[in-house]
Amino acid sequence: MRRAAIRLCTLRKGLLAPVRGLTHGFQYPGKDSAFHVYEGSPIHVNHVRDKLREIVGASKNWKDHVQAMEERKLLQGLLVSSQDGLPPRRMKDSYIEVLLPLGSEPALREKYLTVQNTVRFGRILEDLDSLGVLICYMHTKMYSTDMSPLSIVTALVDKIDMCKKSLSPEQDIKFSGHVSWVGKTSMEVKMQMFQAQDTEYCPVLNATFVMVARDSENKRPAFVNPIILESPEEEELFQQGEFNKGRRVAFNSTSLLKVAPSAKERTAIHEMFLSTLDPKTISFQSRILPPNAVWMENSKLKSLEVCHPQERNIFNRIFGGFLMRKAYELAWATACNFGGSRPFIVTVDDIMFQKPVEVGSLLFLSSQVCFTQDKYIQVRVHSEVASLQNKEHMTTNVFHFTFMSEKEVPLVFPRTYGESMLYLDGQRHFNAMGAPVAWPKEYRVGP
């Protein structure tokens, strides 16, 4: 029970930190100098997806989407056969600020408002997803043409860490971010969110996304511009990206879908099993729950979504931010139902986009509490799709959310071997959350 609170997200070296006012340029926290390359006002949040449509030539009307995609095929000739054929870019070249004016534009507020007068975190996930794609298009911008031959999509949400700042629906929010690491066909994007407080913008969350570039038809990988490192801070950021890549490979190599649990994990599961045996019988079949415990199978919630054209992205697949919002809202409801009080989000991590979701699909979401400790609730959401013509289900995403309840929650106990593996996987994600600190009592993030 060593974990008494959650991680405070800090302004890491190299992350872009707004100070006073709205527009400050690209700068490093704690440094006297600033690179004033970002001029003018931040982009309005409503204009982000409009800019993305312009960059890829996407149609605003569903009836024209086939023609728009046919026109994108003509851009194939602009793609290079080697990364060496692309000019290197600086981190500051991809830096963007986006304004969500909840305070100054009350008409916008209702879209983000919960009934408890907090900000809908699911909507924030949608905005982060769109911003991450736009940042990557800034890094790969071709000045010889208005339209990009690249199809940039979200491959992974590596981590989103909440800070101890409250989210008010009556104060403006600002996002900022830039490319922090580049491979051959992939890019890591660092983003931060801030909320106005008096004359300053205070940090709300840190986010790390991994995006991949594909050709204009979104069929094959495509090369992206290499990156130039201009300072020790940028080198540290890039090395962090390398570390993140290695960490993901190592985590995947020890997946419980591939290898057996460790000896320590096997012992823990066996001890949990023994604690559920009925002492009145000498049988492995007779199981009883310890005090203040719940069977894992009784912690599930499910939902179904019909994927309409309204929720499509610029490539006429279902928008990844929409999938994250729906998964988050189901996970929040699951944690609320399990804990008996309003939970708030702590960490989102390791969301892998395994398969695109086509317009017209049936989206099945299944949410389950897989690990608990003190006030913490680890929720896993499994997403799968089926077409209207084909009843075969295919996994598209697995989401991991860490919540904190207002009071201590019951322990969750697996009954089967499969549930035991879910428990251990949830425990691993929870332990990867990092060093914690206490939240203030006034902190609330709604569904």
Side-chain angles (χ1 to χ4, degrees), residues 62 65 304-313 315-319 322-323 355-364 384-394 396:
W62 173 246
H65 77 280
L304 168 65
E305 299 289 337
V306 181
C307 298
H308 296 290
Q310 181 185 10
E311 307 301 341
R312 71 189 186 279
N313 62 15
F315 304 113
N316 296 305
R317 264 68 178 265
I318 295 301
F319 175 41
F322 170 79
L323 301 176
K355 179 181 175 58
V357 178
E358 302 292 341
V359 173
S361 300
L362 298 178
L363 177 66
F364 297 85
E384 56 186 19
V385 295
S387 68
L388 296 176
Q389 296 78 27
N390 187 351
K391 295 184 179 181
E392 180 183 2
H393 288 211
M394 292 176 287
T396 61

Side-chain angles (χ1 to χ4, degrees), residues 106-118:
L108 183 63
R109 192 178 303 160
E110 190 162 320
K111 177 182 176 182
Y112 291 82
L113 189 64
T114 72
V115 69
Q116 291 82 20
N117 200 41
T118 58

Side-chain angles (χ1 to χ4, degrees), residues 6-127:
I6 64 171
R7 164 161 57 182
L8 166 69
C9 68
T10 58
L11 296 178
R12 303 184 183 95
K13 281 188 177 181
L15 285 178
L16 311 181
V19 283
R20 297 179 182 271
L22 283 177
T23 305
H24 64 282
F26 181 101
Q27 74 180 73
Y28 294 108
K31 299 294 179 182
D32 295 330
S33 61
F35 304 102
H36 296 286
V37 299
Y38 187 82
E39 303 297 340
S41 300
I43 303 170
H44 193 287
V45 68
N46 286 347
H47 298 158
V48 171
R49 295 186 75 175
D50 291 337
K51 288 184 174 293
L52 289 173
R53 290 190 187 95
E54 293 175 5
I55 290 171
V56 303
S59 171
K60 291 185 178 181
N61 301 312
W62 173 246
K63 66 178 182 179
D64 301 326
H65 77 280
V66 175
Q67 179 182 348
M69 290 297 101
E70 286 296 319
E71 292 174 354
R72 278 192 57 78
K73 293 181 180 180
L74 302 176
L75 300 173
Q76 287 283 91
L78 298 177
L79 296 173
V80 298
S81 57
S82 168
Q83 192 178 37
D84 296 334
L86 294 170
R89 296 285 160 76
R90 305 167 297 179
M91 287 190 185
K92 66 183 78 172
D93 292 332
S94 61
Y95 177 75
I96 296 176
E97 292 179 3
V98 172
L99 179 64
L100 173 55
L102 296 180
S104 51
E105 294 186 20
L108 183 63
R109 192 178 303 160
E110 190 162 320
K111 177 182 176 182
Y112 291 82
L113 189 64
T114 72
V115 69
Q116 291 82 20
N117 200 41
T118 58
V119 175
R120 294 178 64 182
F121 185 70
R123 292 294 188 190
I124 298 301
L125 291 175
E126 291 182 326
D127 293 336

